[in-house]
Amino acid sequence: MNHTGLRIADVTVTDTRLQNVTVTRGVLWRVRMRGAWLGQVSIDGQIEGLTVNGVDVGPLIEAELDRRYPERVKMRPATADGFREAWDILESLWAETVDRARQLPPPLLHERVDGEWSFIQTLRHLLFATDIWVSRAVLGNPRPWHPLSLPFDEMDPDERVPWDRDAQPTLDEVLALRADRAETVRRVLTGLTDEALGADTEPVDGPGYSPAAQYPVAECLGTVLLEEWQHRLYAERDLATLRNQ
């Protein structure tokens, strides 16, 4: 049984068993469990303020992820040089991931694993992330997206913003667009100074996301780094599943 868009709030549930339940791109916020029994539970996502038996495990998780992925620390730069180094790392890691993707039959790159985006959709979403946070917020283009850009599912639909989930471009088509966006990011980072990094963007009005407002330049560029880093991990996870089918 599948439920999409289900919202449950302000409910007390007692003596209930949830078994073989999968929550994809869901939100658990201000959830309190008392006398709970959790076994064989897998949580994959952004975690804030998670307390287990009185212990805030968030910092422990962050420390372990940094230990497992030493480059992850570089994704939180505080200087212009740090942002340039982080982007170099991401380009190198993504090149390896794309090489692994090319080893699969092309149809599998459109296959979704456990309801997540396919590999091609993931790359299309990263086009959108660069469009909104670099081309739009930092460079001031109110409508920077390509027809193949794929917004995040939670964004309010807007007929003026491309949102074709069913498009089936080839890997090379999407990679060509990725190369163009990477050149845009590289151009911004090449001229970036620590002073500019500490400044705010000018509001850009237009349809879709992000809302017209001032944003710290460091926050815009940092969001792109986070998107690139995290979605590559998701892609690697799903490619491994597809290879083992």
Side-chain angles (χ1 to χ4, degrees):
M1 181 181 298
N2 293 318
H3 294 283
T4 302
L6 184 65
R7 293 179 180 270
I8 302 174
D10 303 320
V11 174
T12 299
V13 180
T14 304
D15 294 334
T16 299
R17 177 188 294 264
L18 298 178
Q19 188 170 340
N20 297 328
V21 174
T22 299
V23 179
T24 302
R25 287 193 296 278
V27 177
L28 296 178
W29 188 252
R30 294 179 180 169
V31 175
R32 178 178 298 176
M33 300 181 185
R34 291 289 183 266
W37 176 29
L38 273 69
Q40 302 183 51
V41 175
S42 176
I43 301 175
D44 187 352
Q46 183 175 341
I47 298 174
E48 300 177 14
L50 176 61
T51 301
V52 179
N53 292 338
V55 178
D56 182 359
V57 301
L60 304 179
I61 294 170
E62 289 295 305
E64 174 60 15
L65 289 173
D66 286 346
R67 186 192 68 80
R68 293 185 182 188
Y69 307 107
E71 302 97 336
R72 187 174 185 266
V73 178
K74 301 288 189 178
M75 299 301 116
R76 303 190 290 269
T79 65
D81 284 341
F83 273 90
R84 286 186 277 270
E85 180 184 11
W87 189 252
D88 286 341
I89 291 170
L90 285 168
E91 287 195 318
S92 177
L93 291 173
W94 266 110
E96 296 172 3
T97 299
V98 169
D99 284 344
R100 281 188 276 275
R102 287 193 183 278
Q103 297 171 18
L104 294 175
L108 287 184
L109 301 183
H110 292 285
E111 187 167 324
R112 302 178 67 167
V113 177
D114 293 333
E116 298 288 347
W117 280 326
S118 69
F119 186 76
I120 296 292
Q121 287 176 321
T122 295
L123 297 183
R124 291 175 57 204
H125 173 67
L126 291 174
L127 295 177
F128 185 76
T130 304
D131 286 344
I132 62 177
W133 290 116
V134 179
S135 296
R136 176 163 163 151
V138 175
L139 297 178
N141 183 350
R143 299 189 184 189
W145 34 76
H146 186 275
L148 287 176
S149 295
L150 184 62
F152 52 93
D153 287 344
E154 295 79 12
M155 193 185 84
D156 292 332
D158 189 319
E159 63 182 10
R160 297 167 295 177
V161 180
W163 202 333
D164 186 356
R165 290 187 180 90
D166 299 324
Q168 297 275 305
T170 66
L171 177 59
D172 286 334
E173 285 179 287
V174 178
L175 289 179
L177 294 170
R178 285 273 288 161
D180 176 77
R181 298 311 190 272
E183 179 58 32
T184 299
V185 174
R186 177 67 64 183
R187 186 170 66 251
V188 169
L189 293 181
T190 296
L192 187 67
T193 64
D194 290 347
E195 182 180 8
L197 190 62
D200 289 336
T201 66
E202 293 296 325
V204 179
D205 198 9
Y209 200 85
S210 58
Q214 287 186 311
Y215 299 95
V217 171
E219 180 180 304
C220 295
L221 298 177
T223 299
V224 172
L225 295 185
L226 177 62
E227 288 279 308
E228 293 279 347
W229 173 268
Q230 199 61 48
H231 281 288
R232 193 193 71 85
L233 292 181
Y234 297 153
E236 287 281 356
R237 176 198 64 199
D238 293 347
L239 286 174
T241 299
L242 292 171
R243 283 195 297 270
N244 293 326
Q245 285 185 350

